[in-house]
């Protein structure tokens, strides 16, 4: 097994990306290989944390990491765990070993996730200062999206720190559908060079035969089915091994298994127990067929206890399994009878004894040797047997660990027990509170399908989760159902609030007419409470903004503020921050920049008090843009860097990509093209796997950087992509950014007519570019008119960069019209303003414009500066 030996050495090497990704089909030995890496790393002094993805027992938020950290903490004393809990109280929300301690303050899901991600980073970093750390995440394809997001966050943080911490992940790509956020997360890790892939292939004939012989000879086989020390390539057994099959059988095992070690192991065991099976001449349809035959040969008691374990999931505490055997099986199986049945199941190599972590404590347990064995066993149970066994496990778990809401929700639901509703609600709320949105989505779907719940409120909570996931179409469907039920029940405040949320969501799906209709049909009345009233006016402002009615949108925020100030506590702070941020956006788009700046500044304190990273990031983006327009470029850079750090800590790759694109543009304005290139490339890399809303902005920014560096062909190709993506997204602002960038590129290439074609129908949105194009086309009077109007507007609103750019175009047009003295005066003023700010890009453009005074021959006109 020399290939696996080489892979083992590569996986043990400390150099390289922080994430090593073991991929391959089921049964080829990924878990076994990961286990060998973990064993050798541990012997060398590395702290090994092991967690797995599980499909069977509920959907625990950040489940793979919760298991890894809980397993590590379980090895420590109660006093040591208490110390960790005191230092990192944020982790108590998802680690049973730390109890339920922590602050009682209610936080937004975004803030809770932000704190959880930070605490996880700090805990692992602290551990890595004492010794190297290896985190193994087995079967990550079966984990929740939150586990992938946390892995991405940690990989980025620890690559930048250079900490002695690595992640080893086993993953079956075929188990994750196209378009799934988990697949996108893995793609992003690979593209950002945060991960390297190691493919685990099927075995060759010689190695496959060694596995089969080892299995029959009694050597231990674990994990994905690679036997003994075969990973290292030194366990190729000869024909003299006691109990080994003869050469004909060995060749038949190789032919049937096709190099899959799990198939080879099951064939070896199955045919050793039933030698007649070797002569069937028929290849098995899959490992399940092989396992089914071995299960059928178990005695009744051993088979019943194995069936009970299959209902628990891949593993279970011995105490809980014995509870179920004694009280959930008919007839019951207890005492020596149960112990002997378990021993026979272990002897048959169906299950194995293994220490498990339950409620943060290590306990004796049992586990299936492979998840496919468990799945085969579970699928062979009748519906009635499954329900009865799930009910028995629910009783056992409720007695021993009543806070295990994920496990109890799963068992009660599958047992069709009325108590499922309460546990589904609790599990959904817990997952939503931790920003584990895909997990919460699953729970809410199960919850609203039941007849014994308050479906309207459950749907409202579900809609919040769907909105955070960006699944606006489904959120609209869920909100319409909730709204109809609140209306039917005559609950006015809930109706107004739900209608507002529906209108906002419709606005995000490009349906402003439907959003207006919803708001008209469910208006605010004198009896409406402040919070739903504020939500209504905020939704109306957003819809008006989308329709381009910015003045009316700003006025709606005034009404929202009046209502929000009557809402007590942090909820009121959040509404006030949203109102000011939306007011700033409307005023800025209306050209009332001075008032927009004031509103943006007033949004920051309540946003910080509210603590929602998404809202705070939105406010910081507004402040960054205000500072940029005002010419305070270094302040804008500082604010944008803070927004980027916030996006990175929150684990939102699309927000981080957008902030990087904005920082790249600022670096370009400051005359720093190489840092701008690095940021722009990182922005594209971060946005592309998700086809995110910010992707066209990232492409356009990189195109601007490439144009500045003289890479015209590359810039054109990027703008072509950006145009297609923006059109597909229906994003008018992104389309505008692409148009202006294309016009800039045409001017750089001395093609003013092409620049005007790019701006056709939109010259008023880019008057300075249009002015330069008219000037270079030999129409300086038209350019003068456009530049003068833009200068007046920019001076009125306080947009210093726009003022300098307009003044430069104005000066050059005046010169071309032989008004040399006026042109020279305006140019000098523009140069002085650019130096004072400072604005290096404006200074370069002023130098170029000065070359045009007095007007040179048209053929010698230099191109505009990049």
């Amino acid at each position: 097994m020399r290939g696996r030996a080489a892979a083992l050495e590569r996986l043990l090497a400390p150099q390289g990306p922080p994430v090593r990704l073991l991929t391959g089909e089921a049964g080829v030995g990924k878990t076994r290989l990961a286990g060998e890496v973990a064993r050798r790393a541990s012997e060398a002094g590395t702290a090994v944390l092991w967690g797995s993805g599980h499909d069977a027992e509920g959907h625990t938020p950040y489940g793979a990491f919760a298991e890894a950290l809980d397993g590590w903490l379980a090895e420590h004393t109660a006093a040591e765990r208490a110390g960790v809990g005191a230092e990192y109280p944020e982790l108590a929300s998802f680690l049973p070993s730390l109890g339920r301690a922590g602050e009682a303050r209610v936080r937004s899901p975004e803030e809770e996730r932000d704190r959880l991600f930070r605490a996880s980073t700090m805990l692992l970093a602290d551990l890595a200062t004492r010794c190297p750390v290896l985190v193994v995440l087995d079967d990550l394809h079966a984990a929740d999206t939150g586990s992938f997001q946390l892995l991405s966050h940690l990989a980025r943080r620890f690559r930048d720190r250079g900490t002695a911490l690595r992640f080893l992940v086993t993953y079956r790509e075929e188990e994750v559908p196209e378009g799934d956020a988990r697949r996108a997360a893995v793609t992003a890790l690979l593209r950002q060079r945060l991960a390297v892939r190691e493919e685990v292939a099927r075995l060759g004939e010689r190695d496959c035969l060694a596995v089969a012989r080892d299995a029959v000879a009694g050597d231990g086989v674990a994990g994905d089915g690679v036997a003994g020390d075969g990973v290292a390539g030194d366990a190729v057994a000869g024909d003299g091994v006691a109990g080994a099959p003869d050469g004909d059988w060995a060749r038949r095992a190789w032919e049937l298994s096709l190099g899959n070690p799990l198939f080879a192991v099951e064939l070896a065991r199955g045919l050793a127990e039933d030698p007649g099976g070797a002569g069937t001449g028929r290849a098995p349809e899959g490992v399940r067929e092989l396992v089914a035959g071995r299960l059928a040969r178990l005695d009744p008691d051993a088979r019943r206890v194995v069936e009970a374990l299959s209902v628990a999931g891949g593993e279970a505490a011995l105490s809980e399994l014995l509870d179920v055997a004694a009280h959930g099986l008919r007839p019951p199986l207890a005492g020596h009878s149960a112990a002997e049945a378990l021993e026979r199941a272990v002897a048959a190599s169906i299950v194995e004894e293994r220490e498990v972590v339950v409620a943060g404590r290590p306990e004796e347990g049992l586990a299936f040797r492979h998840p496919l064995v468990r799945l085969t066993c579970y699928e062979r149970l009748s519906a009635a047997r499954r329900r009865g066994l799930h009910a028995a496990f629910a009783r056992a778990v409720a007695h021993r660990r009543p806070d295990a809401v994920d496990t109890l929700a799963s068992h009660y639901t599958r047992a069709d027990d009325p108590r499922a509703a309460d546990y589904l609600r609790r599990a959904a709320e817990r997952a939503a509170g931790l920003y584990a949105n895909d997990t919460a989505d699953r729970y809410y779907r199960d919850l609203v399908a039941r007849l014994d719940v308050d479906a309207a409120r459950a749907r409202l909570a579900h809609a919040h989760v769907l909105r955070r996931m960006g699944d606006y179409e489904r959120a609209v469907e869920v909100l319409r159902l909730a709204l109809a039920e609140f209306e039917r029940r005559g609950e006015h405040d809930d109706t107004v609030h739900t209608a507002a949320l529906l209108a906002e969501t419709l606005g995000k799906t490009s349906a402003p007419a439907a959003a207006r209709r919803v708001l008209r049909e469910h208006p605010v009345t004198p009896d409406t409470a402040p919070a739903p009233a504020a939500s209504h006016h905020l939704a109306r402002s957003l819809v008006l903004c989308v329709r381009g009615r910015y003045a009316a949108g700003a006025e709606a925020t005034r009404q929202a503020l009046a209502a929000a100030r009557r809402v007590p506590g942090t909820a009121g702070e959040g509404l006030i921050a949203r109102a000011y941020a939306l007011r700033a956006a409307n005023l800025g788009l209306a050209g009332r920049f001075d008032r927009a700046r004031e509103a943006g500044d007033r949004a920051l304190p309540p946003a910080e008090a509210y603590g929602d990273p998404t809202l705070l990031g939105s406010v910081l983006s507004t402040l960054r843009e205000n500072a940029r327009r005002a010419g305070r470029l270094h302040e804008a850079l500082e604010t944008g860097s803070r927004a980027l750090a916030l996006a990175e800590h929150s684990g939102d790759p699309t927000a981080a990509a957008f902030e990087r694109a904005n920082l790249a543009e600022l670096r370009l304005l400051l005359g720093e093209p190489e840092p701008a290139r690095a940021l722009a490339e990182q922005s594209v890399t971060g946005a592309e796997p998700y086809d995110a809303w910010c992707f066209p902005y990232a492409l356009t920014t990189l195109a601007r950087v490439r144009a500045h560096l003289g890479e015209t062909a590359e810039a054109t190709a990027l703008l072509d992509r950006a145009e297609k993506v923006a059109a597909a997204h229906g994003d008018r602002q992104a389309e505008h950014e692409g148009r202006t960038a294309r016009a800039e590129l045409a001017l750089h290439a001395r093609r003013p007519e092409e620049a005007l074609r790019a701006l056709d129908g939109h010259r008023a949105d880019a008057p300075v570019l249009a002015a330069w194009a008219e000037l270079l086309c030999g129409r300086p009077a038209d350019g003068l008119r456009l530049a003068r109007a833009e200068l007046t507007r920019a001076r009125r609103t306080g947009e210093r960069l726009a003022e300098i750019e307009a003044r430069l175009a104005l000066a050059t047009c005046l010169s071309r019209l032989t008004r040399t003295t006026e042109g020279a005066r305006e140019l000098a003023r523009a140069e002085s303003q650019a130096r004072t700010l400072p604005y290096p890009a404006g200074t370069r453009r002023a130098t170029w414009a000065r070359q045009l005074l007095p007007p040179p021959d048209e053929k010698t006109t230099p191109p505009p500066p990049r």
Side-chain angles (χ1 to χ4, degrees):
M1 303 184 184
R2 295 182 181 86
R4 301 197 178 203
L8 179 63
E9 294 304 317
R10 288 193 296 272
L11 294 169
L12 285 167
Q15 300 81 17
V19 180
R20 316 293 170 91
L21 197 65
L22 283 176
T23 62
E25 65 185 49
V28 295
K30 299 182 297 299
T31 297
R32 175 62 177 170
L33 185 57
E36 183 65 15
V37 173
R39 182 182 67 81
R40 296 195 185 188
S42 180
E43 290 174 351
T46 296
V48 177
L49 286 67
W50 188 293
S52 302
H54 298 287
D55 279 327
E57 189 182 338
H59 311 286
T60 304
Y62 311 103
F65 278 96
E67 182 174 303
L69 291 170
D70 238 2
W72 174 72
L73 287 167
E75 299 173 359
H76 294 68
T77 66
E80 289 170 331
R81 291 198 299 271
V84 173
E87 189 169 359
Y88 306 104
E90 301 87 352
L91 297 179
S93 60
F94 87 126
L95 295 181
S97 56
L98 297 182
R100 296 295 171 186
E103 301 175 31
R105 177 189 168 195
V106 176
R107 301 184 183 91
S108 71
E110 292 85 352
E111 184 184 8
E112 196 67 52
R113 181 187 61 175
D114 184 44
R115 291 167 63 87
L116 189 154
F117 278 25
R118 288 174 188 251
S120 300
T121 303
M122 292 167 63
L123 173 62
L124 290 172
D126 180 57
L127 179 58
T129 60
R130 289 176 268 162
C131 64
V133 177
L134 174 66
V135 180
V136 181
L137 302 173
D138 191 29
D139 286 340
L140 197 65
H141 53 269
D144 64 317
T145 302
S147 293
F148 284 76
Q149 292 170 340
L150 182 50
L151 173 63
S152 299
H153 172 81
L154 292 169
R156 288 194 301 271
R157 303 299 294 173
F158 285 110
R159 178 191 61 181
D160 297 338
R161 294 185 181 196
T163 310
L165 186 145
R166 291 171 295 144
F167 300 90
L168 180 59
V169 175
T170 71
Y171 172 76
R172 291 207 301 274
E173 192 171 44
E174 69 274 11
E175 297 287 335
V176 183
E178 291 287 348
D180 192 295
R182 297 172 298 170
R183 181 183 282 258
V186 171
T187 302
L189 284 171
L190 292 167
R191 287 184 176 175
Q192 295 171 25
R193 295 182 175 86
L194 293 169
V196 64
R197 187 193 301 270
E198 183 77 46
E199 184 78 21
V200 181
R202 292 174 179 242
L203 298 178
E205 180 176 1
R206 173 183 168 146
D207 294 329
C208 188
L209 296 183
V211 167
R213 290 185 178 113
D214 282 349
V216 174
D219 291 347
V221 182
D224 275 7
V226 179
D229 293 326
V231 170
D234 56 2
V236 181
D239 290 335
V241 176
D246 60 28
D248 290 340
W249 182 92
R251 282 190 294 275
R252 188 60 181 152
W254 155 248
E255 293 169 1
L256 293 178
S257 69
L258 301 177
N260 186 303
L262 177 62
F263 275 40
V265 167
E266 293 303 330
L267 278 165
R269 288 174 174 154
L271 294 174
E273 296 171 6
D274 180 20
T280 62
R282 180 173 62 89
E285 295 178 3
V287 71
R288 296 182 190 180
E289 179 184 334
L290 295 167
V291 173
R294 294 183 58 227
L295 288 170
R297 289 190 289 275
L298 287 174
D299 65 89
D301 283 349
R303 186 164 60 251
R304 287 197 300 145
V305 78
V306 167
E307 289 170 347
L309 181 60
S310 76
V311 169
E315 62 185 27
L318 180 59
S319 57
E320 291 180 1
L321 184 58
L322 290 176
D323 276 356
V324 171
H327 304 291
L329 297 184
R330 295 291 179 269
L333 192 63
H336 292 299
S337 298
E340 290 172 357
L342 284 172
E343 288 176 354
R344 292 194 295 275
V346 171
S349 297
I350 299 292
V351 299
E352 63 183 359
E353 294 179 295
R354 180 189 301 173
E355 188 178 81
V356 299
V357 177
V358 179
R361 298 184 303 275
E363 290 191 21
E364 294 179 346
L366 281 102
F368 282 93
R369 286 185 172 272
H370 194 278
L372 289 179
V373 180
R374 177 259 163 193
L375 188 60
T376 302
C377 185
Y378 185 77
E379 289 180 343
R380 289 168 57 83
L381 295 173
S382 67
R385 286 273 290 152
R386 287 182 194 175
R387 284 188 181 186
L389 288 170
H390 278 296
F393 259 106
R395 289 192 296 271
V397 172
H399 173 68
R400 294 177 177 273
R401 42 190 178 118
D403 289 333
V405 293
D406 298 293
T407 303
L408 289 169
S410 174
H411 284 310
Y412 277 130
T413 299
R414 297 181 189 193
D416 198 25
D417 190 293
R419 284 168 287 190
D422 181 54
Y423 282 99
L424 284 169
R425 177 187 56 77
R426 290 168 60 184
E429 289 174 353
R430 174 173 176 263
L434 291 170
Y435 208 83
N437 294 320
D438 68 314
T439 302
D441 175 32
R442 294 182 186 184
Y443 282 132
Y444 277 123
R445 276 184 286 165
D446 288 342
L447 179 60
V448 299
R450 304 189 66 84
L451 300 177
D452 51 351
V453 299
D454 179 351
R457 297 197 186 284
R459 287 191 174 103
L460 186 58
H462 189 194
H464 282 292
V465 168
L466 292 171
R467 281 164 53 89
R468 288 198 294 267
M469 294 171 68
D471 194 344
Y472 298 115
E473 298 290 346
R474 280 178 61 207
V476 165
E477 296 175 11
V478 171
L479 284 168
R480 288 193 186 280
L481 293 170
L483 180 62
E485 188 165 343
F486 282 132
E487 277 189 287
R488 179 181 58 78
R489 287 165 18 186
E491 298 181 7
H492 172 72
D493 285 346
D494 287 320
T495 298
V496 172
H497 173 67
T498 305
L501 195 62
L502 175 58
E504 281 188 15
T505 311
L506 285 166
K508 293 179 182 293
T509 61
S510 303
R516 288 200 316 274
R517 185 167 59 252
V518 167
L519 292 172
R520 281 198 309 268
E521 292 172 352
H522 305 92
V524 170
T525 70
D527 296 328
T528 307
S535 298
H536 174 91
H537 294 305
L538 286 170
R540 192 161 59 87
S541 174
L542 181 64
V543 172
L544 289 166
C545 183
V546 170
R547 294 177 59 207
R549 295 180 56 189
Y550 306 124
E555 181 58 31
T557 62
R558 188 187 302 278
Q559 296 173 284
L561 279 167
R565 291 191 178 104
R566 295 161 49 206
V567 179
T570 56
E573 298 283 5
L575 290 169
I576 290 170
R578 285 186 60 204
Y580 274 125
L582 197 50
R583 183 172 181 79
N586 274 289
L587 290 170
L589 291 168
R592 300 164 74 175
F593 179 67
D594 49 347
R595 296 181 62 189
R597 184 170 61 243
E598 178 188 355
D601 291 341
R602 296 185 72 174
L604 185 58
E608 290 178 322
Y610 187 59
D612 181 338
T614 302
L615 178 58
L616 183 56
S618 173
V619 171
L620 287 173
S621 292
T622 301
L623 294 177
R624 180 207 63 239
E625 182 62 13
N626 288 347
R628 184 193 69 80
R629 289 183 178 184
R632 304 192 301 272
L633 294 181
H634 289 287
E635 178 186 327
L637 192 65
E638 181 180 350
T639 304
S641 298
R642 184 181 171 193
L644 174 58
L646 195 66
E648 289 179 328
H649 280 304
S650 71
D652 185 345
T654 58
F658 183 64
E659 295 304 333
R660 285 193 179 93
N662 283 297
L663 287 174
E665 295 228 3
L666 287 170
R667 291 290 186 187
L668 208 55
L669 295 176
L670 287 166
E672 302 172 3
E674 287 308 320
R677 181 205 285 268
L679 284 162
E681 288 176 346
Q682 290 170 12
S683 177
V684 170
T685 301
E688 186 172 11
Y690 303 94
D691 191 24
W693 61 271
C694 61
F695 187 34
Y697 296 93
L699 289 168
T700 300
T701 299
L702 183 56
R704 284 194 165 106
V705 174
R706 292 287 179 85
H708 179 93
L709 295 170
E711 300 170 5
T712 304
E714 294 85 347
T716 301
L718 286 164
L719 288 176
D720 290 342
R721 287 184 69 193
E723 184 179 77
K724 292 178 182 177
V725 177
H729 289 187
D731 190 331
R732 295 181 182 178
Q733 182 61 30
E735 291 174 346
H736 166 72
E737 294 293 333
R739 277 193 300 271
T740 56
R742 196 175 290 280
E744 291 167 6
L745 186 62
L747 289 175
H748 291 163
R750 305 188 193 186
R751 296 195 292 267
E753 297 87 354
E754 184 178 320
L756 289 173
R757 285 196 297 273
L759 297 174
D760 187 30
H762 301 276
R763 294 188 187 185
D765 297 329
V768 171
L769 290 175
W772 282 116
E774 293 287 4
L775 171 67
L776 297 177
C777 282
R779 298 186 289 270
D782 292 338
L784 177 67
R785 175 178 52 79
L786 289 165
R788 193 183 296 281
E790 174 60 6
L791 177 61
T792 301
R793 186 202 68 80
R795 291 180 64 186
R796 184 183 71 250
T797 61
E799 297 183 61
R800 301 293 298 281
L801 298 190
E803 179 184 348
I804 292 170
E805 296 291 347
R807 197 180 295 281
L808 288 170
L810 175 68
T812 313
C813 289
L814 287 168
S815 173
R816 285 297 183 91
L817 292 168
T818 68
R819 297 164 63 176
T820 309
T821 303
E822 292 177 75
R825 184 172 59 249
E826 293 293 345
L827 182 56
R829 291 181 66 183
E831 285 180 307
S832 175
Q833 288 177 314
R835 286 193 301 269
T836 301
L837 283 178
Y839 177 31
T843 301
R844 286 196 306 276
R845 214 170 336 266
T847 300
W848 169 76
R850 187 167 287 284
Q851 297 174 28
L852 301 184
L853 300 176
D857 183 79
E858 191 69 36
K859 293 181 180 180
T860 62
T861 300
R866 296 186 173 91

